[in-house]
Each structure stands twice: as C-alpha cells, then as structure tokens.
Amino acid sequence: ALWRSFGARVVEMDPQEHDTLFALISHLPHLLAFSTMGLSLNKSVDLSLVGSGFLDSTRLAQCPPSLWVDIAIANSDALALTLEAFIGELQDLEVNLRAKDAESLAFKFHRAHQLRISMEAS
C-alpha cells in the first residue's frame, strides 16, 4: 500500500525471478555504461566529440560506483548469466558484420526496433 500510494506499480515475484529479471533490465545496462566509459578511457577517446547517442547510452555511468559494485556482487550469479547471454548476442553481431550480412543485421535491428517502439505504446 505504501508503494502504491507513491504511484508505484507493485508486482510480486519470487526472489530468483526478481534477480534474473533485474539482471537484464537494470543491472546489465549499468554494466554496459560503465564498460563503455572504461573502453573510452582505454582508447583515449576525445570525449568532446561524442554526440547524444553516446551520452544517452552512458548516462548510467554517472550512478554511484560503490552502490553498483554492491548490487553487482549481490546479484552476481544472475548478472553473470545475463552477461554471458549478452556476449553471445554481441558475438552473433560480430559474425554478421564480418560476413557483411546485411540481411541478418537488418532482421535483428528491425526486431529490436519494433520491440522498443512497442514499449512506448504500452
């Protein structure tokens, strides 16, 4: 009742389901933002050249690192499995890029685009 009084949508689920879901929809995006910024540091990128896409996709790296270390460790099992699946997705993209497989890339991009658009509608 307390959370609903603040306008939150409350969903009950078991702890393992929560950890698996939030590894994907919350924790992984933070890891990606931190990793992208880390890669940028390693590559000595002139950050004055970045545009809105880079800024949007790395916004989460502004979150307190100590908080995210604790979250990552607390959910390390589910997060490691999610990261493994994400790496598989990246490897598939790499194969498509190296093969210059425009059809596969277009299919994947279109499917992701449609899903993201559908989220705005709901």
Side-chain angles (χ1 to χ4, degrees):
L2 172 69
W3 294 112
R4 285 187 183 94
S5 73
F6 289 111
R9 185 175 70 115
V10 177
V11 177
E12 292 188 31
M13 62 182 69
D14 69 68
Q16 184 175 358
E17 181 182 6
H18 169 276
D19 290 353
T20 299
L21 176 63
F22 278 81
L24 176 62
I25 67 171
S26 175
H27 308 162
L28 179 64
H30 282 82
L31 287 185
L32 299 179
F34 287 124
S35 296
T36 300
M37 292 308 301
L39 180 62
S40 299
L41 286 170
N42 293 339
K43 297 286 186 181
S44 300
V45 172
D46 181 354
L47 295 179
S48 70
L49 300 175
V50 304
S52 60
F54 184 90
L55 293 173
D56 290 346
S57 66
T58 59
R59 177 186 59 81
L60 296 175
Q62 297 178 88
C63 295
S66 61
L67 170 67
W68 281 95
V69 167
D70 291 346
I71 290 170
I73 296 299
N75 198 22
S76 61
D77 292 340
L79 189 51
L81 289 172
T82 300
L83 191 57
E84 180 180 5
F86 185 77
I87 290 168
E89 290 287 327
L90 289 177
Q91 289 172 330
D92 286 347
L93 285 174
E94 180 185 16
V95 167
N96 296 150
L97 288 168
R98 290 189 186 282
K100 298 182 181 358
D101 185 349
E103 185 177 329
S104 293
L105 289 171
F107 174 77
K108 290 173 185 177
F109 292 177
H110 180 74
R111 190 176 59 173
H113 174 78
Q114 290 300 110
L115 178 58
R116 183 62 176 89
I117 295 297
S118 74
M119 291 172 61
E120 294 295 323
S122 55

